[in-house]
Amino acid sequence: MKMVAPWTRLCSNSRCLCCHVGTGTILLGVWYLILNAVVLLIVLSALADPDHYHFSSSELGGDFEFMDDANMCIATAISVLMTLICAMATYGAYKQRAAWIIPFFCYQIFDFALNTLVAVTILVSPNSIQEYIRQLPPDFPYKDDIMSVNPTCLVLIILLFISIILAFKGYLISCVWNCYQYINGRNSSGVLVYVTSNDTTVLLPPYDDATVNSATKEPPPLYVSA
């Protein structure tokens, strides 16, 4: 006979790839943290030496200035915010603080929604891909090869690629959500404990309640999760 807590019954089989949801969320947060830290360093380098990162309108194939002050300030703010959110998620998963994971989870939902919107746009207006490719700079790598591909095949390839990305992102969202639920279950007060054997399951009250009226009796053994 062994004692099993409810969160263990619900989440013991939850995995993020080959790891537990807690470990997977920590690794995911560290990975996003590294990526956003690198982006932040690049943006700060561009602010320190704008001439080195300057792109003319002809190089970008458009009539706008990419490295102006407004765009750089927005990029810096987004990079700092994303670095903070990823750090919070990593800390929350490591220290078992469920509330710290919520901003990262919301970012995942927002990112998933944007990618879904891109897929819907391509599906509704497939000609937009060809138009976008034409607007790329003349020296863009493999531009001519991409333009030579059949438009229908190109749309199907891009949709397949986006579908794979969406499926993977959805899986990572479920892992982070399972981690949030797992931490909430572990940290909740007054948790009920199940004692299971081969053919029976008995629901025990919380340990504190079991010892309230047993001053004259020997207290029950401590509940230990298997």
Side-chain angles (χ1 to χ4, degrees), residues 9 14 17 21 26 30-31 36 49 76 80 105 109 116-117 120-121 131 133 137-138 157 169 182 187:
R9 291 164 61 89
S14 297
L17 297 179
V21 287
I26 293 174
V30 170
W31 171 247
N36 286 281
D49 187 10
T76 303
V80 171
F105 178 75
I109 296 295
T116 304
L117 184 61
V120 172
T121 302
E131 185 64 26
I133 296 175
I157 293 173
K169 286 181 179 291
Y182 174 79
N187 295 339

Side-chain angles (χ1 to χ4, degrees), residues 49-101:
D49 187 10
D51 294 334
H52 182 71
Y53 292 90
H54 178 77
F55 297 97
S56 63
S57 299
S58 60
E59 291 175 324
L60 294 172
D63 298 327
F64 58 92
E65 185 66 32
F66 180 71
M67 301 300 292
D68 60 4
D69 293 338
N71 288 333
M72 291 304 299
C73 290
I74 294 174
T76 303
I78 293 176
S79 298
V80 171
L81 179 62
M82 288 303 308
T83 302
L84 180 60
I85 289 175
C86 296
M88 289 175 60
T90 305
Y91 176 83
Y94 179 73
K95 291 293 186 178
Q96 304 287 299
R97 306 286 179 83
W100 291 64
I101 302 177

Side-chain angles (χ1 to χ4, degrees), residues 126 128-155 157-158:
S128 60
I129 298 178
Q130 294 289 335
E131 185 64 26
Y132 174 78
I133 296 175
R134 292 191 188 96
Q135 294 177 359
L136 293 175
D139 57 346
F140 187 84
Y142 305 108
K143 178 181 178 181
D144 295 334
D145 295 334
I146 297 175
M147 289 293 296
S148 63
V149 177
N150 184 277
T152 303
C153 294
L154 182 61
V155 170
I157 293 173
I158 294 177

Side-chain angles (χ1 to χ4, degrees), residues 11-30 88-97 101 104 172 174-184 186:
C11 302
S12 59
N13 294 326
S14 297
R15 291 288 182 270
C16 183
L17 297 179
C18 59
C19 306
H20 185 269
V21 287
T23 305
T25 302
I26 293 174
L27 295 177
L28 184 62
V30 170
M88 289 175 60
T90 305
Y91 176 83
Y94 179 73
K95 291 293 186 178
Q96 304 287 299
R97 306 286 179 83
I101 302 177
F104 184 73
L172 294 180
S174 68
C175 292
V176 174
W177 178 247
N178 286 337
C179 179
Y180 172 80
Q181 290 183 313
Y182 174 79
I183 295 175
N184 263 344
R186 288 183 62 93

